[in-house]
Amino acid sequence: MSLYPRPVEELIDHFARLPGIGRKGAARLVFHLLGKSDDDVRAFAEAMVAARVNTVFCRECQNLSEEELCPLCSGSGRDRATLCVVAEPRDVAAVERCREYKGLYHVLHGVISPTKQKSPDDIRLKELLERVGGGGFLEVILATNPDTDGDTTALYIARMLRPYEVKVTRLAYGLPMGGHVEYADELTILRALDGRREV
Amino acid sequence: MSLYPRPVEELIDHFARLPGIGRKGAARLVFHLLGKSDDDVRAFAEAMVAARVNTVFCRECQNLSEEELCPLCSGSGRDRATLCVVAEPRDVAAVERCREYKGLYHVLHGVISPTKQKSPDDIRLKELLERVGGGGFLEVILATNPDTDGDTTALYIARMLRPYEVKVTRLAYGLPMGGHVEYADELTILRALDGRREV
């Protein structure tokens, strides 16, 4: 016999599949939800489906977007000659939070990783090369994480961009080694932007 | 401008309201979900509503149940003269995992806590007194947590049960199995000394 009613066990299973959440943590979250009203829980469930179904990838920068073209790509007031290449949408959010960078972005949705069997074809690199090939960019800033896979990806992209007439830079190692762009504080990101160097 | 598309922000808000999950942790969970298929996300959302809507409290023990009477209360093979009183459904699960206790349970859904403004009326104590008053129980084991609120609740219940002809016991205090005397706090060692037994 299972320890909780079947629907409760099933919801615990779903939560336990999320990264960083074990079965005991999942049970704690589920019991919290069971203490909420039907409406609250339905709203959560609907938000979950809505986030998945109503979100697409921006045609240009590949970031998550409600529209075919995201607000950053379609909006005015951005420097369209500078492109910041990041691994994940949350890295765009991290760079935007420092309110200093005014260029455009390109989201790779992953990094090249021999250990995780991620090849250049598994990330949105083709789209990046097409964008840069289309002209108009003066500088491409490689803002992948300062770890092995992030460095590998940056070096690989730098090599692929060599044929194009564009300056390629890498965020400075103001970022703590082994850290994540996502968790860096604004000042660290600012320093890293300031100290970027040509690859 | 928000950093993520609106439906994504809304889902992050929902996750961030769960206990022990901050906004960055919530964003990480949401991006994990956005990497899943529509079907997977829908299944999660449906499980969430199902757990809330298809779960009731057992008429007898107040534990979570799919039926009006939970499997433990309706089933045979349990000792119906012994009642174990716990604070939460997950405590039932914890006691059941040791496969030794064969009696019935009563889930209080909380503890009496002056600091958290939880009075005896806020937990399912009335239901417990009715059950014990109905007769048939020889022993009530108070298995609330060994902390201030858990002790307060146990003492209060013990006093309320005095008019009934039933033995009232409390889980033993002492060193946790596999623990070290060296690392035990003073209060635990004091309680373990108090409760020492002849070998």
Short mmCIF file of all heavy atoms in Angstrom, two decimals, chain B residues 127-186:
data_model
loop_
_atom_site.label_atom_id
_atom_site.label_comp_id
_atom_site.label_asym_id
_atom_site.label_seq_id
_atom_site.Cartn_x
_atom_site.Cartn_y
_atom_site.Cartn_z
N GLU B 127 -12.24 16.30 16.96
CA GLU B 127 -12.47 15.00 16.33
C GLU B 127 -11.77 13.89 17.12
O GLU B 127 -12.28 12.77 17.24
CB GLU B 127 -11.95 15.01 14.88
CG GLU B 127 -12.76 15.89 13.93
CD GLU B 127 -12.33 17.35 13.94
OE1 GLU B 127 -11.57 17.77 14.85
OE2 GLU B 127 -12.76 18.10 13.03
N LEU B 128 -10.56 14.20 17.66
CA LEU B 128 -9.82 13.21 18.44
C LEU B 128 -10.58 12.87 19.72
O LEU B 128 -10.75 11.69 20.06
CB LEU B 128 -8.43 13.75 18.79
CG LEU B 128 -7.60 12.91 19.76
CD1 LEU B 128 -7.25 11.56 19.15
CD2 LEU B 128 -6.34 13.65 20.18
N LEU B 129 -11.08 13.92 20.42
CA LEU B 129 -11.79 13.68 21.68
C LEU B 129 -13.06 12.88 21.43
O LEU B 129 -13.41 11.99 22.21
CB LEU B 129 -12.10 15.02 22.35
CG LEU B 129 -10.86 15.85 22.73
CD1 LEU B 129 -11.27 17.16 23.39
CD2 LEU B 129 -9.93 15.07 23.65
N GLU B 130 -13.75 13.18 20.31
CA GLU B 130 -14.96 12.42 19.96
C GLU B 130 -14.63 10.94 19.74
O GLU B 130 -15.34 10.05 20.19
CB GLU B 130 -15.60 12.98 18.69
CG GLU B 130 -16.54 14.15 18.99
CD GLU B 130 -16.95 14.90 17.73
OE1 GLU B 130 -16.77 14.34 16.63
OE2 GLU B 130 -17.41 16.05 17.85
N ARG B 131 -13.51 10.73 19.03
CA ARG B 131 -13.10 9.35 18.73
C ARG B 131 -12.78 8.59 20.01
O ARG B 131 -13.24 7.46 20.20
CB ARG B 131 -11.85 9.35 17.86
CG ARG B 131 -12.11 9.20 16.39
CD ARG B 131 -10.81 9.18 15.65
NE ARG B 131 -10.45 7.85 15.21
CZ ARG B 131 -9.31 7.56 14.57
NH1 ARG B 131 -8.44 8.52 14.33
NH2 ARG B 131 -9.07 6.33 14.18
N VAL B 132 -11.96 9.20 20.86
CA VAL B 132 -11.57 8.52 22.09
C VAL B 132 -12.79 8.35 23.00
O VAL B 132 -12.97 7.30 23.64
CB VAL B 132 -10.44 9.30 22.80
CG1 VAL B 132 -10.10 8.65 24.14
CG2 VAL B 132 -9.19 9.35 21.92
N GLY B 133 -13.65 9.39 23.01
CA GLY B 133 -14.87 9.33 23.80
C GLY B 133 -15.78 8.21 23.35
O GLY B 133 -16.54 7.64 24.15
N GLY B 134 -15.72 7.85 22.07
CA GLY B 134 -16.54 6.77 21.52
C GLY B 134 -16.16 5.42 22.10
O GLY B 134 -16.88 4.43 21.94
N GLY B 135 -15.00 5.35 22.77
CA GLY B 135 -14.57 4.11 23.43
C GLY B 135 -13.83 3.16 22.52
O GLY B 135 -13.77 3.36 21.29
N GLY B 136 -13.25 2.14 23.12
CA GLY B 136 -12.56 1.10 22.34
C GLY B 136 -11.05 1.24 22.34
O GLY B 136 -10.35 0.28 22.08
N PHE B 137 -10.56 2.42 22.68
CA PHE B 137 -9.10 2.60 22.69
C PHE B 137 -8.53 2.33 24.07
O PHE B 137 -9.08 2.77 25.08
CB PHE B 137 -8.73 4.03 22.26
CG PHE B 137 -9.01 4.29 20.81
CD1 PHE B 137 -10.02 5.15 20.42
CD2 PHE B 137 -8.25 3.66 19.83
CE1 PHE B 137 -10.28 5.39 19.08
CE2 PHE B 137 -8.50 3.89 18.49
CZ PHE B 137 -9.52 4.75 18.11
N LEU B 138 -7.41 1.59 24.12
CA LEU B 138 -6.72 1.32 25.38
C LEU B 138 -5.53 2.26 25.57
O LEU B 138 -5.15 2.57 26.68
CB LEU B 138 -6.24 -0.14 25.42
CG LEU B 138 -7.34 -1.20 25.38
CD1 LEU B 138 -6.74 -2.59 25.34
CD2 LEU B 138 -8.26 -1.04 26.60
N GLU B 139 -4.92 2.68 24.43
CA GLU B 139 -3.74 3.54 24.52
C GLU B 139 -3.75 4.60 23.42
O GLU B 139 -4.07 4.31 22.26
CB GLU B 139 -2.46 2.69 24.40
CG GLU B 139 -1.19 3.54 24.48
CD GLU B 139 0.09 2.71 24.49
OE1 GLU B 139 0.00 1.46 24.45
OE2 GLU B 139 1.17 3.32 24.51
N VAL B 140 -3.38 5.82 23.80
CA VAL B 140 -3.20 6.90 22.83
C VAL B 140 -1.72 7.31 22.88
O VAL B 140 -1.23 7.71 23.94
CB VAL B 140 -4.10 8.11 23.13
CG1 VAL B 140 -3.76 9.27 22.19
CG2 VAL B 140 -5.57 7.73 22.99
N ILE B 141 -1.01 7.15 21.75
CA ILE B 141 0.41 7.52 21.69
C ILE B 141 0.52 8.90 21.08
O ILE B 141 0.08 9.12 19.94
CB ILE B 141 1.19 6.51 20.83
CG1 ILE B 141 0.99 5.09 21.34
CG2 ILE B 141 2.67 6.89 20.77
CD1 ILE B 141 1.56 4.02 20.42
N LEU B 142 1.10 9.85 21.81
CA LEU B 142 1.25 11.21 21.28
C LEU B 142 2.58 11.30 20.54
O LEU B 142 3.65 11.24 21.15
CB LEU B 142 1.17 12.22 22.42
CG LEU B 142 -0.15 12.14 23.23
CD1 LEU B 142 -0.09 13.05 24.44
CD2 LEU B 142 -1.34 12.48 22.34
N ALA B 143 2.51 11.44 19.22
CA ALA B 143 3.71 11.39 18.39
C ALA B 143 3.93 12.73 17.67
O ALA B 143 4.31 12.76 16.50
CB ALA B 143 3.63 10.24 17.39
N THR B 144 3.70 13.81 18.39
CA THR B 144 4.03 15.12 17.81
C THR B 144 5.55 15.32 17.90
O THR B 144 6.23 14.60 18.62
CB THR B 144 3.30 16.25 18.57
OG1 THR B 144 3.54 16.07 19.96
CG2 THR B 144 1.81 16.23 18.30
N ASN B 145 6.08 16.30 17.17
CA ASN B 145 7.52 16.53 17.14
C ASN B 145 8.08 16.87 18.52
O ASN B 145 7.40 17.51 19.32
CB ASN B 145 7.86 17.69 16.19
CG ASN B 145 7.74 17.28 14.74
OD1 ASN B 145 7.85 16.09 14.41
ND2 ASN B 145 7.52 18.25 13.88
N PRO B 146 9.32 16.47 18.77
CA PRO B 146 9.95 16.80 20.05
C PRO B 146 10.50 18.22 20.07
O PRO B 146 11.69 18.44 20.20
CB PRO B 146 11.09 15.77 20.17
CG PRO B 146 11.45 15.46 18.77
CD PRO B 146 10.20 15.65 17.94
N ASP B 147 9.61 19.20 19.88
CA ASP B 147 10.02 20.61 20.00
C ASP B 147 8.98 21.35 20.85
O ASP B 147 8.04 20.73 21.34
CB ASP B 147 10.17 21.26 18.60
CG ASP B 147 8.92 21.11 17.76
OD1 ASP B 147 7.82 20.90 18.34
OD2 ASP B 147 9.02 21.18 16.53
N THR B 148 9.15 22.64 21.00
CA THR B 148 8.28 23.38 21.93
C THR B 148 6.80 23.20 21.59
O THR B 148 5.99 22.82 22.45
CB THR B 148 8.63 24.88 21.91
OG1 THR B 148 10.05 25.00 21.99
CG2 THR B 148 7.98 25.61 23.07
N ASP B 149 6.44 23.46 20.32
CA ASP B 149 5.04 23.36 19.94
C ASP B 149 4.52 21.93 20.05
O ASP B 149 3.38 21.69 20.48
CB ASP B 149 4.85 23.88 18.51
CG ASP B 149 5.05 25.39 18.43
OD1 ASP B 149 5.04 26.04 19.49
OD2 ASP B 149 5.24 25.91 17.31
N GLY B 150 5.36 20.98 19.63
CA GLY B 150 4.96 19.57 19.70
C GLY B 150 4.73 19.13 21.14
O GLY B 150 3.76 18.41 21.44
N ASP B 151 5.61 19.57 22.05
CA ASP B 151 5.47 19.23 23.48
C ASP B 151 4.24 19.89 24.08
O ASP B 151 3.49 19.26 24.81
CB ASP B 151 6.72 19.69 24.25
CG ASP B 151 7.88 18.72 24.07
OD1 ASP B 151 7.64 17.60 23.57
OD2 ASP B 151 9.02 19.08 24.44
N THR B 152 4.04 21.18 23.73
CA THR B 152 2.85 21.90 24.22
C THR B 152 1.59 21.16 23.81
O THR B 152 0.69 20.93 24.62
CB THR B 152 2.82 23.32 23.61
OG1 THR B 152 4.05 23.97 23.90
CG2 THR B 152 1.66 24.13 24.16
N THR B 153 1.54 20.79 22.54
CA THR B 153 0.37 20.10 22.00
C THR B 153 0.15 18.77 22.71
O THR B 153 -0.98 18.43 23.09
CB THR B 153 0.54 19.87 20.49
OG1 THR B 153 0.84 21.13 19.87
CG2 THR B 153 -0.72 19.30 19.87
N ALA B 154 1.23 18.01 22.92
CA ALA B 154 1.13 16.70 23.57
C ALA B 154 0.61 16.86 25.00
O ALA B 154 -0.29 16.12 25.43
CB ALA B 154 2.48 16.00 23.56
N LEU B 155 1.17 17.86 25.72
CA LEU B 155 0.73 18.08 27.10
C LEU B 155 -0.74 18.47 27.16
O LEU B 155 -1.50 17.99 28.00
CB LEU B 155 1.59 19.17 27.76
CG LEU B 155 2.95 18.70 28.27
CD1 LEU B 155 3.80 19.89 28.71
CD2 LEU B 155 2.75 17.73 29.44
N TYR B 156 -1.13 19.36 26.25
CA TYR B 156 -2.52 19.81 26.21
C TYR B 156 -3.46 18.63 25.94
O TYR B 156 -4.48 18.47 26.64
CB TYR B 156 -2.68 20.88 25.12
CG TYR B 156 -4.04 21.53 25.12
CD1 TYR B 156 -4.29 22.66 25.90
CD2 TYR B 156 -5.08 21.00 24.36
CE1 TYR B 156 -5.54 23.25 25.91
CE2 TYR B 156 -6.33 21.59 24.35
CZ TYR B 156 -6.57 22.71 25.14
OH TYR B 156 -7.80 23.29 25.15
N ILE B 157 -3.09 17.82 24.96
CA ILE B 157 -3.95 16.68 24.62
C ILE B 157 -4.01 15.69 25.78
O ILE B 157 -5.07 15.15 26.11
CB ILE B 157 -3.45 15.99 23.32
CG1 ILE B 157 -3.62 16.93 22.13
CG2 ILE B 157 -4.22 14.69 23.07
CD1 ILE B 157 -3.05 16.40 20.83
N ALA B 158 -2.84 15.46 26.42
CA ALA B 158 -2.80 14.54 27.56
C ALA B 158 -3.79 14.98 28.64
O ALA B 158 -4.52 14.17 29.21
CB ALA B 158 -1.39 14.46 28.12
N ARG B 159 -3.82 16.32 28.87
CA ARG B 159 -4.72 16.84 29.89
C ARG B 159 -6.19 16.66 29.47
O ARG B 159 -7.03 16.26 30.26
CB ARG B 159 -4.43 18.32 30.15
CG ARG B 159 -5.00 18.82 31.47
CD ARG B 159 -4.63 20.27 31.72
NE ARG B 159 -3.20 20.49 31.62
CZ ARG B 159 -2.66 21.63 31.17
NH1 ARG B 159 -3.42 22.62 30.78
NH2 ARG B 159 -1.34 21.75 31.10
N MET B 160 -6.47 16.92 28.18
CA MET B 160 -7.84 16.77 27.69
C MET B 160 -8.31 15.33 27.74
O MET B 160 -9.52 15.06 27.79
CB MET B 160 -7.94 17.28 26.24
CG MET B 160 -7.62 18.74 26.04
SD MET B 160 -8.75 19.84 26.91
CE MET B 160 -10.20 19.75 25.86
N LEU B 161 -7.36 14.39 27.68
CA LEU B 161 -7.74 12.97 27.65
C LEU B 161 -7.88 12.37 29.04
O LEU B 161 -8.29 11.21 29.19
CB LEU B 161 -6.71 12.16 26.83
CG LEU B 161 -6.71 12.39 25.31
CD1 LEU B 161 -5.57 11.62 24.66
CD2 LEU B 161 -8.05 11.96 24.69
N ARG B 162 -7.53 13.15 30.07
CA ARG B 162 -7.54 12.62 31.44
C ARG B 162 -8.90 12.02 31.84
O ARG B 162 -8.95 10.98 32.48
CB ARG B 162 -7.12 13.72 32.42
CG ARG B 162 -5.95 13.28 33.29
CD ARG B 162 -5.44 14.41 34.15
NE ARG B 162 -4.15 14.89 33.72
CZ ARG B 162 -3.62 16.05 34.09
NH1 ARG B 162 -4.30 16.88 34.85
NH2 ARG B 162 -2.43 16.40 33.69
N PRO B 163 -10.05 12.67 31.45
CA PRO B 163 -11.35 12.11 31.87
C PRO B 163 -11.64 10.73 31.28
O PRO B 163 -12.49 10.01 31.79
CB PRO B 163 -12.37 13.12 31.32
CG PRO B 163 -11.60 14.36 31.05
CD PRO B 163 -10.21 13.93 30.72
N TYR B 164 -10.93 10.36 30.19
CA TYR B 164 -11.24 9.09 29.54
C TYR B 164 -10.39 7.97 30.13
O TYR B 164 -9.25 8.19 30.54
CB TYR B 164 -10.99 9.18 28.04
CG TYR B 164 -11.75 10.33 27.40
CD1 TYR B 164 -11.12 11.54 27.15
CD2 TYR B 164 -13.10 10.19 27.05
CE1 TYR B 164 -11.80 12.60 26.57
CE2 TYR B 164 -13.78 11.24 26.48
CZ TYR B 164 -13.14 12.45 26.24
OH TYR B 164 -13.82 13.48 25.68
N GLU B 165 -10.88 6.77 30.14
CA GLU B 165 -10.11 5.65 30.68
C GLU B 165 -9.19 5.09 29.61
O GLU B 165 -9.46 4.07 29.01
CB GLU B 165 -11.06 4.57 31.19
CG GLU B 165 -11.79 4.99 32.44
CD GLU B 165 -12.09 3.80 33.33
OE1 GLU B 165 -11.93 2.65 32.86
OE2 GLU B 165 -12.48 4.02 34.49
N VAL B 166 -8.09 5.79 29.39
CA VAL B 166 -7.19 5.39 28.32
C VAL B 166 -5.77 5.74 28.74
O VAL B 166 -5.53 6.76 29.39
CB VAL B 166 -7.58 6.09 26.99
CG1 VAL B 166 -7.42 7.59 27.08
CG2 VAL B 166 -6.80 5.54 25.82
N LYS B 167 -4.81 4.86 28.43
CA LYS B 167 -3.41 5.15 28.74
C LYS B 167 -2.88 6.13 27.71
O LYS B 167 -3.08 5.94 26.51
CB LYS B 167 -2.60 3.84 28.69
CG LYS B 167 -1.17 4.01 29.14
CD LYS B 167 -0.54 2.66 29.50
CE LYS B 167 0.26 2.12 28.32
NZ LYS B 167 0.95 0.85 28.62
N VAL B 168 -2.25 7.19 28.16
CA VAL B 168 -1.70 8.19 27.23
C VAL B 168 -0.17 8.15 27.32
O VAL B 168 0.39 8.30 28.40
CB VAL B 168 -2.21 9.61 27.56
CG1 VAL B 168 -1.60 10.63 26.60
CG2 VAL B 168 -3.73 9.64 27.48
N THR B 169 0.50 7.90 26.20
CA THR B 169 1.96 7.83 26.19
C THR B 169 2.53 8.82 25.19
O THR B 169 1.81 9.37 24.35
CB THR B 169 2.45 6.41 25.79
OG1 THR B 169 1.91 6.09 24.51
CG2 THR B 169 2.02 5.39 26.82
N ARG B 170 3.85 9.05 25.30
CA ARG B 170 4.52 9.99 24.41
C ARG B 170 5.72 9.24 23.82
O ARG B 170 6.35 8.45 24.53
CB ARG B 170 5.00 11.20 25.24
CG ARG B 170 5.78 12.26 24.47
CD ARG B 170 4.87 13.39 24.07
NE ARG B 170 5.61 14.52 23.51
CZ ARG B 170 5.84 14.70 22.22
NH1 ARG B 170 5.39 13.80 21.35
NH2 ARG B 170 6.50 15.75 21.78
N LEU B 171 6.05 9.49 22.56
CA LEU B 171 7.24 8.88 21.95
C LEU B 171 8.45 9.18 22.82
O LEU B 171 8.55 10.27 23.38
CB LEU B 171 7.49 9.45 20.56
CG LEU B 171 6.66 8.96 19.38
CD1 LEU B 171 7.29 9.48 18.09
CD2 LEU B 171 6.57 7.45 19.35
N ALA B 172 9.39 8.23 22.95
CA ALA B 172 10.57 8.43 23.78
C ALA B 172 11.48 9.50 23.18
O ALA B 172 11.56 9.65 21.96
CB ALA B 172 11.33 7.12 23.91
N TYR B 173 12.13 10.24 24.08
CA TYR B 173 13.17 11.17 23.64
C TYR B 173 14.51 10.48 23.81
O TYR B 173 14.68 9.68 24.72
CB TYR B 173 13.21 12.41 24.54
CG TYR B 173 12.01 13.30 24.48
CD1 TYR B 173 11.20 13.44 25.59
CD2 TYR B 173 11.75 14.02 23.34
CE1 TYR B 173 10.11 14.29 25.55
CE2 TYR B 173 10.66 14.88 23.30
CZ TYR B 173 9.84 15.00 24.41
OH TYR B 173 8.79 15.85 24.38
N GLY B 174 15.48 10.83 23.03
CA GLY B 174 16.82 10.27 23.21
C GLY B 174 17.69 10.52 22.01
O GLY B 174 17.36 11.35 21.16
N LEU B 175 18.77 9.80 21.97
CA LEU B 175 19.71 9.96 20.86
C LEU B 175 19.12 9.31 19.62
O LEU B 175 18.58 8.21 19.71
CB LEU B 175 21.03 9.29 21.21
CG LEU B 175 21.78 9.87 22.40
CD1 LEU B 175 22.93 8.95 22.77
CD2 LEU B 175 22.29 11.27 22.08
N PRO B 176 19.22 9.95 18.47
CA PRO B 176 18.77 9.31 17.24
C PRO B 176 19.71 8.17 16.88
O PRO B 176 20.92 8.28 17.10
CB PRO B 176 18.85 10.43 16.20
CG PRO B 176 19.84 11.40 16.75
CD PRO B 176 19.80 11.28 18.24
N MET B 177 19.15 7.07 16.35
CA MET B 177 19.99 5.93 15.95
C MET B 177 21.00 6.38 14.91
O MET B 177 20.68 7.15 14.00
CB MET B 177 19.13 4.81 15.38
CG MET B 177 18.30 4.09 16.41
SD MET B 177 19.30 3.40 17.75
CE MET B 177 20.20 2.14 16.85
N GLY B 178 22.23 5.89 15.04
CA GLY B 178 23.26 6.28 14.08
C GLY B 178 23.88 7.62 14.41
O GLY B 178 24.79 8.09 13.73
N GLY B 179 23.36 8.27 15.46
CA GLY B 179 23.90 9.58 15.84
C GLY B 179 25.14 9.43 16.71
O GLY B 179 25.59 8.32 17.00
N HIS B 180 25.72 10.55 17.09
CA HIS B 180 26.92 10.55 17.92
C HIS B 180 26.63 11.32 19.21
O HIS B 180 26.08 12.41 19.15
CB HIS B 180 28.08 11.23 17.20
CG HIS B 180 28.51 10.53 15.97
ND1 HIS B 180 27.86 10.63 14.77
CD2 HIS B 180 29.55 9.66 15.75
CE1 HIS B 180 28.47 9.89 13.87
NE2 HIS B 180 29.50 9.29 14.43
N VAL B 181 27.03 10.75 20.34
CA VAL B 181 26.89 11.44 21.61
C VAL B 181 27.61 12.79 21.51
O VAL B 181 27.11 13.83 21.96
CB VAL B 181 27.48 10.60 22.76
CG1 VAL B 181 27.48 11.40 24.06
CG2 VAL B 181 26.70 9.31 22.92
N GLU B 182 28.77 12.74 20.88
CA GLU B 182 29.62 13.92 20.75
C GLU B 182 28.87 15.11 20.12
O GLU B 182 29.06 16.25 20.51
CB GLU B 182 30.82 13.52 19.87
CG GLU B 182 31.85 14.59 19.67
CD GLU B 182 32.88 14.18 18.62
OE1 GLU B 182 32.82 13.04 18.10
OE2 GLU B 182 33.74 15.01 18.29
N TYR B 183 28.05 14.82 19.13
CA TYR B 183 27.39 15.89 18.40
C TYR B 183 25.99 16.20 18.91
O TYR B 183 25.34 17.12 18.42
CB TYR B 183 27.32 15.54 16.91
CG TYR B 183 28.68 15.38 16.29
CD1 TYR B 183 28.99 14.29 15.48
CD2 TYR B 183 29.68 16.33 16.52
CE1 TYR B 183 30.25 14.14 14.91
CE2 TYR B 183 30.93 16.18 15.96
CZ TYR B 183 31.21 15.09 15.16
OH TYR B 183 32.45 14.95 14.62
N ALA B 184 25.49 15.41 19.85
CA ALA B 184 24.12 15.63 20.34
C ALA B 184 24.08 16.92 21.15
O ALA B 184 25.05 17.26 21.84
CB ALA B 184 23.69 14.45 21.19
N ASP B 185 22.95 17.64 21.06
CA ASP B 185 22.84 18.88 21.85
C ASP B 185 22.54 18.52 23.30
O ASP B 185 22.14 17.39 23.61
CB ASP B 185 21.75 19.77 21.26
CG ASP B 185 20.41 19.09 21.28
OD1 ASP B 185 20.16 18.23 20.40
OD2 ASP B 185 19.60 19.38 22.18
N GLU B 186 22.75 19.49 24.19
CA GLU B 186 22.65 19.25 25.62
C GLU B 186 21.26 18.73 26.01
O GLU B 186 21.12 17.82 26.81
CB GLU B 186 22.91 20.55 26.42
CG GLU B 186 24.33 21.04 26.36
CD GLU B 186 24.59 21.92 25.14
OE1 GLU B 186 23.87 21.75 24.13
OE2 GLU B 186 25.49 22.76 25.16
#
